[in-house]
Amino acid sequence: MEVRAQARYVRVSPRKARIVVDLVRGKSVAQAQEILRFTNRGIAETVEKVLNSAVANAEHNNHLRAESLVVKKAYVDEGPTMKRIRPRAKGSAARIRKRTSHITIVVAPREEA
């Protein structure tokens, strides 16, 4: 029984978010929460919220125990990019790309994962 949670349109580049998400893939929920709590990256707080949401979904909707859950899948997809213009020399312009991410975490009971 897989249970997932997703945070969409998070204002961080996917490359930066993947660094943090790679740390928790395959770990138990308690271990993943501890890693995220002490990771010195801004996006770690958001990833922890998504993980806690996935655990709450598993407990409430599927009546699973949090102690038996493992992070089965964790991945970051690229969201839409907001494009902005920055004035440059001689009347030209430079494009600024403000990237967004979709963070997905899937938890499952230990036997299934």
Side-chain angles (χ1 to χ4, degrees):
M1 173 73 50
E2 292 183 353
V3 184
R4 73 182 199 128
Q6 194 173 30
R8 303 191 68 203
Y9 307 105
V10 179
R11 247 311 267 124
V12 66
S13 71
R15 183 176 177 178
K16 291 178 184 176
R18 283 185 189 117
I19 292 170
V20 175
V21 168
D22 290 345
L23 296 173
V24 298
R25 191 178 297 116
K27 305 278 193 305
S28 70
V29 167
Q31 194 177 6
Q33 287 172 333
E34 189 174 335
I35 289 169
L36 291 171
R37 201 165 293 123
F38 293 106
T39 300
N40 194 16
R41 294 257 179 188
I43 192 63
E45 185 179 339
T46 307
V47 174
E48 187 177 6
K49 283 183 181 182
V50 177
L51 176 63
N52 291 338
S53 178
V55 171
N57 290 342
E59 288 177 331
H60 185 266
N61 299 339
N62 300 92
H63 309 292
L64 299 170
R65 292 198 345 260
E67 305 85 48
S68 68
L69 296 175
V70 214
V71 179
K72 186 173 183 181
K73 297 180 199 168
Y75 53 91
V76 179
D77 293 326
E78 190 171 342
T81 301
M82 296 186 286
K83 296 169 182 77
R84 302 291 181 260
I85 299 297
R86 181 174 187 88
R88 303 305 286 187
K90 298 182 181 177
S92 64
R95 167 98 20 109
I96 295 176
R97 290 177 298 279
K98 297 187 177 226
R99 301 183 188 275
T100 60
S101 304
H102 302 319
I103 301 169
T104 307
I105 293 184
V106 178
V107 294
R110 189 175 311 281
E111 302 81 37
E112 192 178 313

